[in-house]
Amino acid sequence: MVSSKGDVEKGVQADLQFHIAIVEATHNTVFINLSKTLYEYMEDTIRATRRHRLSDPLRYDDTFKEHKEIYVAIASGDQNKAKQLMEKHIVQIRKELSESLLCTPFQK
């Protein structure tokens, strides 16, 4: 992810692979197969999220920091911290996207 700064497509793919790696780390075959089915949807969602979040260049560091904190919690085996950070990350993204949609005028 660090090397993707300034490269939109590389950033999308790095972000997507991060989330896929988390899914695979669960070793839950149902969850893994479900994520494979939803791969394109996940990619579209990540692309939209990054387009919104990274419209402000300063948000790149925040986004990277969130992902790094999640990774560190997983790598250290702290399941509770990883869960807490992932939930916080998802809630924040939902909030930002909802606010963005509310501020965007509807098109006919």
Side-chain angles (χ1 to χ4, degrees), residues 75-93:
S76 67
D78 190 342
Q79 295 175 342
N80 290 331
K81 182 75 170 178
K83 179 182 178 197
Q84 177 187 31
L85 289 168
M86 196 65 200
E87 287 175 351
K88 180 180 173 186
H89 178 62
I90 291 170
V91 166
Q92 182 63 30
I93 288 171

Side-chain angles (χ1 to χ4, degrees), residues 5 10 15-16 24-25 41 45 49 52 75 88 99 103:
K5 192 170 187 175
K10 189 174 181 181
D15 202 333
L16 181 60
E24 290 175 352
Y41 175 75
T45 301
T49 300
H52 167 72
K88 180 180 173 186
E99 289 170 357
C103 293

Side-chain angles (χ1 to χ4, degrees), residues 8-19:
V8 173
E9 192 55 34
K10 189 174 181 181
V12 168
Q13 293 308 312
D15 202 333
L16 181 60
Q17 290 308 311
F18 174 76
H19 288 272

Side-chain angles (χ1 to χ4, degrees), residues 1-2 4-5 15 18-19 22 50 53-54 57-74 81-82 85-86 88-89 92-93:
M1 285 185 166
V2 171
S4 71
K5 192 170 187 175
D15 202 333
F18 174 76
H19 288 272
I22 292 172
R50 290 179 67 87
R53 286 190 118 200
L54 303 182
L58 300 176
R59 293 291 291 144
Y60 178 85
D61 293 332
D62 293 338
T63 301
F64 178 74
K65 181 182 174 207
E66 289 172 19
H67 284 101
K68 184 175 180 180
E69 289 173 342
I70 293 165
Y71 166 77
V72 168
I74 292 170
K81 182 75 170 178
L85 289 168
M86 196 65 200
K88 180 180 173 186
H89 178 62
Q92 182 63 30
I93 288 171

Side-chain angles (χ1 to χ4, degrees), residues 34-60:
L34 178 62
S35 72
K36 287 178 182 175
T37 301
L38 298 173
Y39 185 88
E40 287 182 22
Y41 175 75
M42 287 172 58
E43 184 175 11
D44 291 344
T45 301
I46 287 171
R47 189 176 306 281
T49 300
R50 290 179 67 87
R51 184 174 30 248
H52 167 72
R53 286 190 118 200
L54 303 182
S55 62
D56 175 357
L58 300 176
R59 293 291 291 144
Y60 178 85

